[in-house]
Amino acid sequence: MNGGKQGARSNPGGFNPLERILTTTLDFERIARSSIKLFVTATNVHTGRGRVFRNADITADVLLASACLPTMFQAVEIDGAFYWDGGYSGNPTITPLVRECMSQDTIIVQVNPVERPAAPRSAREILNRLNEISFNAVLLKELRMMALLRQVAPTDNSECARWAAMRMHRIASDVVADLGSSSKLNAEWAFLTMLRDEGRRCAEAFLNDHGADLGKRPSFDLDQLLEGV
């Protein structure tokens, strides 16, 4: 799930240091040739629909568009259309994982809290919580659909059956849930390395607790998402 990503073209036609960083650190030709499928979503500003970019389509502009928060950056133009953060339309988009991949296990790495214990008070806190809710809504809707399909889907090879058969898993951290909205703008190295180390700790804990579930059974209970619906 989205964690307040930053980066987009803020000065169209001018020098963009973020784009320079991407083009000098990533080998897009190698990504295009990779056997590992990569799906990146951006939201079309005009239609409100998500566009999924695949390996051969991924460029620096695509990555910038996928992380373009409209309150901070100008929309990124790709093929004559303008795009914002993909979190508004799919965060992440599950559909290509079901339709185009063989694996029946999906691991969601959650960096955007679904729940917060306290009510937001300040304008910044309210805006941050609104963003979290809107970014999580699309994914939660897809997960609820999967839970419902499990109750009625056939056991053939139809798309409904493939959705229902997907085994869902989740890696999450309580540390992220405790961070305030201002943390999304914190670029201090000590903070970034703390997030890295926390991510590795959570991944190791997940493998210790649920590594044996992979390929056999889901470890994330989707039925809980149907409560109150």
Side-chain angles (χ1 to χ4, degrees):
M1 293 187 186
N2 181 284
K5 300 167 290 186
Q6 297 180 46
R9 177 164 294 169
S10 57
N11 56 340
F15 173 73
N16 186 346
L18 295 176
E19 185 174 16
R20 177 67 178 274
I21 291 172
L22 290 173
T23 55
T24 56
T25 57
L26 296 179
D27 187 341
F28 290 102
E29 292 185 0
R30 186 174 180 181
I31 292 174
R33 299 191 306 268
S34 176
S35 60
I36 299 174
K37 295 181 180 181
L38 177 61
F39 305 104
V40 177
T41 305
T43 303
N44 187 300
V45 175
H46 302 292
T47 66
R49 298 172 183 165
R51 175 178 173 183
V52 178
F53 296 87
R54 293 160 177 81
N55 293 56
D57 306 318
I58 294 174
T59 63
D61 277 346
V62 168
L63 298 182
L64 292 173
S66 74
C68 177
L69 299 175
T71 56
M72 299 180 64
F73 303 98
Q74 295 183 25
V76 178
E77 183 178 4
I78 301 174
D79 299 331
F82 291 88
Y83 292 91
W84 283 337
D85 194 305
Y88 295 107
S89 55
N91 195 35
T93 300
I94 301 295
T95 302
L97 301 181
V98 176
R99 290 181 173 176
E100 303 177 34
C101 298
M102 297 298 294
S103 175
Q104 289 184 305
D105 288 87
T106 294
I107 302 175
I108 297 173
V109 181
Q110 181 180 323
V111 298
N112 205 37
V114 174
E115 298 182 2
R116 285 194 180 272
R121 299 292 183 183
S122 68
R124 179 184 292 273
E125 290 174 344
I126 292 171
L127 180 60
N128 179 65
R129 188 56 185 150
L130 285 172
N131 282 334
E132 287 177 346
I133 292 173
S134 62
F135 275 28
N136 289 332
V138 180
L139 174 63
L140 292 175
K141 184 177 181 180
E142 285 189 313
L143 295 179
R144 290 190 187 101
M145 178 194 69
M146 293 173 70
L148 290 171
L149 285 175
R150 288 181 179 177
Q151 300 176 8
V152 300
T155 56
D156 55 18
N157 194 36
S158 65
E159 183 167 344
C160 286
R162 292 199 299 273
W163 276 92
M166 180 66 72
R167 296 181 289 266
M168 300 302 297
H169 312 273
R170 183 183 68 147
I171 298 176
S173 168
D174 292 335
V175 171
V176 173
D178 291 336
L179 296 176
S181 59
S182 61
S183 67
K184 295 181 178 182
L185 301 177
N186 188 347
E188 296 180 2
W189 183 247
F191 179 72
L192 296 177
T193 54
M194 183 277 290
L195 293 178
R196 178 202 64 194
D197 295 341
E198 175 64 11
R200 291 176 176 176
R201 184 194 68 79
C202 291
E204 184 176 358
F206 169 81
L207 290 175
N208 289 334
D209 294 339
H210 300 293
D213 294 328
L214 296 173
K216 297 179 180 178
R217 65 188 72 86
S219 61
F220 182 42
D221 181 16
L222 297 183
D223 289 338
Q224 63 181 312
L225 300 177
L226 297 177
E227 297 177 3
V229 177

